Amino acid sequence: MQKSLVIVLIAALVGAFVFFQFVNAASSVAFIAGVVTATLIFSFIPSSQSRASDEPYVGPTMTLYVGNLPYRVHEGEVKDLFGEYGPVNSVRLVRDRKTGRRKGFGFVEMSEAGAQKAMGKLNDYTFQERTLKVREAKSQESDSSDA
């Protein structure tokens, strides 16, 4: 069970007890009133954890190239790994256009300070039995001017 659901149920039971004792309402009516009261209370309390992760980082960012990723890895796992070093704006794992299978590399956009830390810590780091290669990504503009 989720922690928030348990808290709402406990608050509903406490609310039902209060309504039952002090308002002399029937037990079912008291429980429903407790559920409504708990729902109203928790809908006005902001959830700081979900809001902080939904908002993208605003400030200097850097895009990292991440190579030698396991083919079965998902964006969320990579985001969690790099999120230990700073806020992550996006994760893009490259797929083959014809088959749709992952190619084993991707790009992580994150805060510049976090990216510097992540490059130092995660380059040559073993992740799901693969040794990661983490570098600053080259921009597409510099690639086209070299040709």
Side-chain angles (χ1 to χ4, degrees):
M1 237 188 229
Q2 291 181 351
K3 189 184 251 186
S4 60
L5 178 63
V6 172
I7 292 172
V8 168
L9 285 175
I10 291 170
L13 290 173
V14 170
F17 178 75
V18 168
F19 279 106
F20 185 72
Q21 291 295 322
F22 299 110
V23 183
N24 290 331
S27 60
S28 61
V29 172
F31 181 74
I32 291 171
V35 169
V36 169
T37 304
T39 304
L40 288 174
I41 290 171
F42 284 106
S43 66
F44 290 114
I45 296 174
S47 174
S48 61
Q49 183 180 12
S50 65
R51 293 183 195 271
S53 64
D54 292 342
E55 295 176 4
Y57 171 77
V58 178
T61 61
M62 180 185 288
T63 302
L64 299 175
Y65 162 82
V66 184
N68 204 28
L69 282 166
Y71 294 106
R72 65 185 178 276
V73 75
H74 296 283
E75 283 86 356
E77 295 170 313
V78 176
K79 184 174 183 174
D80 291 342
L81 177 66
F82 281 82
E84 295 177 20
Y85 301 98
V88 176
N89 278 358
S90 67
V91 175
R92 295 182 316 269
L93 301 181
V94 178
R95 293 178 176 264
D96 184 89
R97 288 184 181 171
K98 292 180 182 176
T99 63
R101 294 180 58 201
R102 291 186 178 88
K103 288 188 167 188
F105 69 94
F107 300 93
V108 176
E109 181 188 3
M110 61 186 303
S111 69
E112 193 170 332
Q116 295 293 342
K117 288 181 201 172
M119 273 196 295
K121 298 285 185 176
L122 296 178
N123 188 40
D124 294 328
Y125 175 80
T126 303
F127 176 67
Q128 296 184 5
E129 301 175 3
R130 301 289 297 259
T131 303
L132 298 181
K133 298 297 177 191
V134 181
R135 308 272 189 265
E136 183 175 357
K138 296 178 183 177
S139 66
Q140 291 178 344
E141 294 84 29
S142 66
D143 291 344
S144 62
S145 66
D146 291 342

